Amino acid sequence: MSDQLLRVEGLKKHFAFTKGILFSRTLGHVKAVDDVSFDIKAGETLGLVGESGCGKTTTSRMILNLEEPTEGRILLEDEPISGLQGDALKAYRAKVQAVFQDPWSSLNPRMKVGRTIAESLIVNGWGDKEKIAGRVRELLLQVGLRPEQAEQYPHEFSGGQRQRVALAAALASRPKLIVLDEPVSALDVSIRAQMMNLLKDIQAQDNVAYLLVAHDLATVRHMADHTVVMYLGKIVEKAPTEQLFADVRHPYTKALFSAVLVAWPGRSEEEIELRGEVPSPLNPPAGCHFHTRCPYVMPRCSQQEPALREVSPGHAVACHLFDNA
Amino acid sequence: MSDTPPGDTVLEVRDLHTHFFLRRGVVKAVDGVSFSLKRGEVLGLVGESGCGKSLTALSLMRLLPKGGARTIKGEVLLGGENILQHTPAEMREIRGRRISMVLQDPQTSLNPVFSVGDQLREAIERRRKGASLSEIMKEAVAALRRVEIAAPEQRIGQYPHQMSGGMKQRVVGAIAISGEPEVLIADEPTTALDVTIQLQYLKLLKRLQAENGMAILFITHDFGVVGRMCDRVAVMYAGRIVECGPVKQIFEAPQHPYTRALIASVPKMTGPAGRLTTIEGQPPSLMDLPVGCRFASRCALVEQRCLDAYPRSVRVGDAHTADCWKVSPP
């Protein structure tokens, strides 16, 4: 067995774009995710970064087995996850959990939070009532809430506390991997820091791996061991986080970095302002998808699609600027 | 264009109180806010959700939400006139002409069943009464060009759903500045936009401001945006401004413990990527505010006098004030 917890190989997801209801015809395909590969080691965090529509959420939905890939495979502990059914699927769901962005819509308002947290334990027949109640108390303490809060309803909690409840529910089945889809972007600054610290503490205690889907680079920098940058369904750059932040290579990643508004005024760094907007994924530009907005565009960029290749150990970039590197 | 010379105060807010009168009690959402805005200046109003920053903006526009919200005290002086005394008809003349507003979500600011051109026309017509339709449409195209929308002649006939989020927010901006207001209130205008689009939009706002010298009240929770956009910044906590000063001073030497903790808790792009500083606890309930400092329950430096009385405002530097008992004048 390899030391990789999760392997994603050549993952593609194409959505058909149709017209008409009775005699519908396919007009084209939206390549939401187009040939994406990466690994996550046990107990590590992988950050998945990009702007809206880059395919990061579709990728995470396929990993959660909520969406069937068009092509490619996903392996958890060397076992392919496609076609899992019945008990095998239940077992998979116990190992791979999720925390979503909006703590207002991810909790059932009519359910006491203790029951929400216990849900996955009950479904999996984890133990009797007493045992489950004990585990719920333990989970509430672990996420920094009080055990008696199990008897409260979601509306009695603040946004940050709700996100803690969502995390406790995800942790209940002792998962190996938690998909964190923008876990802190709906939270206020001071609460955000509490949540990020909590996530790191829990990872250190339980050795759980995270797939962190985020658009905020500073959050990724504080949380992730490795970072993958996506643009229009493709990976444009991937590297160990520290190395990526020290040495950004791809022009899109550079633009993304310079768009981060460095809080401290008076810092004038090289700034790339991208003209225009992300092209429609229905009809992405030929060649490199980024060439329409790239400040370093060359003739071959519009003809040939750049391959993702290593520029230094562990650091891969998909850009013609590095063809001869 | 405004007639006030640069550097003159265009808007002054004094001791503004806007409360919600509910059956359960009184929510003191804005409770003694004062600040001033000079021509050509960008003042950032930062704070966390529920601190009262958006309600402050709505109080200035006199567009309070239905259901018990009332401004009970204070003055809002626009060019020396207290607009809180104006009749609704007088306010309609001021909105869009002298004070405009851009909101967070461009999706809900535009009417989905009218074309972009129609919505711009409505704003321009009010200012240019009696102008012919072709003149007004020419001006509408020019307004779209000013906010850097490509091919404005084609775009003008389109509907909001045919545009991306960034483009819609530009249209909202075009409508807001079409009356050439003296004051623009921007309430989290880029929160719904992607980062590369956010940068484009902020730069556009800066360019437009340089052209016509309007003053901007920029409401945000993002210190990155403050650093990029603002000249001065006011930090709000539980209904009051606790610290106000030039951006550089606030970033480099924040005085109020809340400002200090808030800045320290922001994840950084440089420096050590270790544990973040956090502010423990929650802000106080606005229905049951303490008599003393509102930050006292979460403050590391708290002492008896902080609980006994609300701190006086201390002048700590040039145009820099902080409401804290532990801060002493230089």
Side-chain angles (χ1 to χ4, degrees):
Chain A
M1 192 175 128
S2 67
D3 61 342
Q4 306 298 353
L5 175 71
L6 183 90
R7 286 207 335 255
V8 172
E9 295 174 354
L11 201 62
K12 290 187 186 179
K13 180 70 192 179
H14 298 177
F15 293 101
F17 179 72
T18 58
K19 191 175 183 176
I21 298 164
L22 200 53
F23 302 102
S24 69
R25 50 203 172 91
T26 304
L27 298 180
H29 289 274
V30 177
K31 296 181 177 176
V33 175
D34 200 17
D35 199 8
V36 162
S37 306
F38 56 79
D39 308 314
I40 304 176
K41 285 196 181 67
E44 266 197 3
T45 302
L46 180 87
L48 201 54
V49 196
E51 295 180 277
S52 16
C54 76
K56 54 190 198 296
T57 296
T58 307
T59 304
S60 68
R61 286 178 61 84
M62 285 190 278
I63 291 169
L64 288 168
N65 215 337
L66 298 171
E67 207 87 68
E68 190 68 25
T70 309
E71 247 180 72
R73 356 184 254 166
I74 299 167
L75 299 106
L76 183 80
E77 297 175 318
D78 295 328
E79 297 287 333
I81 71 161
S82 81
L84 288 181
Q85 277 182 338
D87 286 347
L89 184 60
K90 258 192 202 169
Y92 181 75
R93 297 233 189 279
K95 281 186 203 164
V96 180
Q97 282 284 325
V99 173
F100 295 103
Q101 173 170 356
D102 184 1
W104 273 266
S105 55
S106 59
L107 299 178
N108 185 340
R110 296 181 173 210
M111 225 185 236
K112 287 179 180 168
V113 303
R115 167 69 208 229
T116 298
I117 295 168
E119 188 84 345
S120 75
L121 301 173
I122 296 167
V123 168
N124 282 304
W126 187 76
D128 58 17
K129 247 181 160 173
E130 296 278 291
K131 203 176 159 205
I132 288 178
R135 175 80 179 131
V136 169
R137 280 196 294 275
E138 185 184 300
L139 286 161
L140 283 168
L141 282 171
Q142 195 182 8
V143 298
L145 296 170
R146 295 190 311 275
E148 62 271 24
Q149 287 178 299
E151 294 302 312
Q152 294 181 344
Y153 286 94
H155 73 266
E156 298 174 71
F157 292 85
S158 68
Q161 288 175 323
R162 281 181 215 213
Q163 205 60 321
R164 287 169 191 261
V165 171
L167 179 61
L171 287 167
S173 57
R174 299 191 196 281
K176 302 264 167 86
L177 174 71
I178 301 181
V179 173
L180 303 168
D181 193 346
E182 302 276 10
V184 298
S185 45
L187 305 179
D188 265 317
V189 185
S190 69
I191 310 297
R192 194 177 286 188
Q194 290 175 11
M195 187 73 192
M196 284 166 67
N197 285 344
L198 176 67
L199 285 167
K200 286 190 118 173
D201 291 346
I202 282 172
Q203 183 167 55
Q205 286 160 20
D206 291 8
N207 199 38
V208 57
Y210 294 139
L211 174 68
L212 173 69
V213 177
H215 70 279
D216 180 38
L217 286 166
T219 303
V220 169
R221 176 172 177 264
H222 278 264
M223 297 280 303
D225 301 292
H226 289 266
T227 300
V228 168
V229 183
M230 286 182 74
Y231 186 74
L232 276 178
K234 288 184 179 292
I235 294 181
V236 295
E237 187 159 7
K238 65 177 174 185
T241 305
E242 216 172 300
Q243 191 174 344
L244 182 73
F245 278 75
D247 183 20
V248 181
R249 294 297 188 91
H250 196 284
Y252 174 66
T253 320
K254 277 189 184 166
L256 215 50
F257 270 73
S258 70
V260 173
L261 308 164
V262 181
W264 274 242
R267 284 179 42 135
S268 57
E269 286 181 1
E270 180 198 12
E271 186 173 285
I272 306 173
E273 184 194 351
L274 292 182
R275 308 303 299 183
E277 314 203 359
V278 182
S280 160
L282 243 188
N283 187 19
C288 172
H289 288 352
F290 185 59
H291 85 260
T292 51
R293 303 172 80 197
C294 183
Y296 309 106
V297 64
M298 302 179 287
R300 78 180 123 162
C301 298
S302 55
Q303 288 145 17
Q304 204 187 344
E305 199 181 304
L308 190 66
R309 57 168 70 90
E310 266 197 355
V311 289
S312 61
H315 191 163
V317 182
C319 177
H320 287 307
L321 286 174
F322 304 98
D323 279 355
N324 306 318
Chain B
M1 198 126 326
S2 130
D3 308 318
T4 355
D8 278 17
T9 300
V10 286
L11 181 77
E12 189 166 357
V13 176
R14 288 187 193 153
D15 203 26
L16 186 72
H17 289 69
T18 300
H19 295 175
F20 285 94
F21 294 88
L22 307 178
R23 220 170 296 157
R24 296 179 284 141
V26 180
V27 179
K28 297 178 177 170
V30 177
D31 198 35
V33 165
S34 304
F35 62 86
S36 67
L37 198 53
K38 292 191 181 71
R39 185 175 139 76
E41 181 185 53
V42 186
L43 173 70
L45 193 57
V46 284
E48 300 182 84
S49 10
C51 73
K53 53 193 195 302
S54 290
L55 197 67
T56 301
L58 293 173
S59 305
L60 303 188
M61 293 294 283
R62 294 202 31 211
L63 292 171
L64 294 176
K66 289 204 178 73
R70 271 204 321 255
T71 299
I72 50 162
K73 199 176 156 194
E75 290 179 325
V76 176
L77 303 167
L78 181 68
E81 271 178 82
N82 185 3
I83 61 170
L84 293 182
Q85 309 282 342
H86 280 16
T87 61
E90 286 171 324
M91 270 319 288
R92 278 197 293 277
E93 286 303 307
I94 285 174
R95 283 188 212 114
R97 300 279 295 274
R98 297 183 63 195
I99 302 191
S100 267
M101 197 165 180
V102 177
L103 300 173
Q104 174 171 343
D105 186 1
Q107 200 73 47
T108 51
S109 316
L110 293 174
N111 189 330
V113 300
F114 286 101
S115 72
V116 159
D118 281 341
Q119 299 186 52
L120 267 165
R121 198 187 69 198
E122 194 188 347
I124 295 166
E125 254 172 1
R126 290 187 48 211
R127 182 164 48 85
R128 306 233 357 217
K129 291 193 178 87
S132 73
L133 186 63
S134 69
E135 271 175 350
I136 287 172
M137 287 327 263
K138 214 182 268 174
E139 210 168 304
V141 169
L144 287 186
R145 192 170 289 126
R146 260 172 91 195
V147 294
E148 295 163 11
I149 285 181
E153 292 85 356
Q154 278 109 59
R155 288 289 180 186
I156 202 135
Q158 290 192 337
Y159 289 84
H161 75 270
Q162 294 169 296
M163 300 184 154
S164 69
M167 219 180 288
K168 270 184 276 201
Q169 197 62 305
R170 280 162 195 267
V171 172
V172 173
I175 293 172
I177 63 163
S178 68
E180 291 172 347
E182 293 152 58
V183 178
L184 178 70
I185 300 173
D187 189 356
E188 308 254 9
T190 58
T191 310
L193 306 181
D194 269 317
V195 280
T196 59
I197 307 300
Q198 164 170 283
L199 181 64
Q200 287 175 358
Y201 193 79
L202 294 179
K203 287 188 152 187
L204 172 73
L205 267 186
K206 274 280 194 196
R207 276 195 285 269
L208 292 172
Q209 192 203 21
E211 273 169 40
N212 68 7
M214 63 190 170
I216 302 180
L217 179 66
F218 203 105
I219 298 172
T220 179
H221 64 273
D222 185 338
F223 274 103
V225 174
V226 170
R228 170 61 65 121
M229 284 300 289
C230 302
D231 305 303
R232 282 191 306 135
V233 56
V235 181
M236 253 185 113
Y237 186 79
R240 280 214 182 170
I241 291 174
V242 294
E243 183 164 8
C244 184
V247 169
K248 203 165 169 340
Q249 280 183 39
I250 298 270
F251 277 119
E252 284 171 6
Q255 296 296 318
H256 197 283
Y258 175 65
T259 317
R260 252 185 269 161
L262 200 58
I263 289 176
S265 67
V266 178
K268 311 286 185 305
M269 289 293 283
T270 52
R275 279 187 83 78
L276 292 160
T277 320
T278 61
I279 310 175
E280 295 305 325
Q282 301 276 333
S285 158
L286 296 171
M287 270 170 121
D288 185 22
L289 287 166
V291 282
C293 173
R294 287 161 193 193
F295 187 60
S297 62
R298 304 170 81 187
C299 184
L301 308 172
V302 63
E303 50 183 56
Q304 190 56 44
R305 61 178 163 169
C306 306
L307 303 172
D308 293 343
Y310 190 84
R312 77 271 185 259
S313 189
V314 183
R315 206 182 171 82
V316 287
D318 256 358
H320 185 174
T321 57
D323 291 8
C324 177
W325 286 118
K326 301 288 281 183
V327 170
S328 40

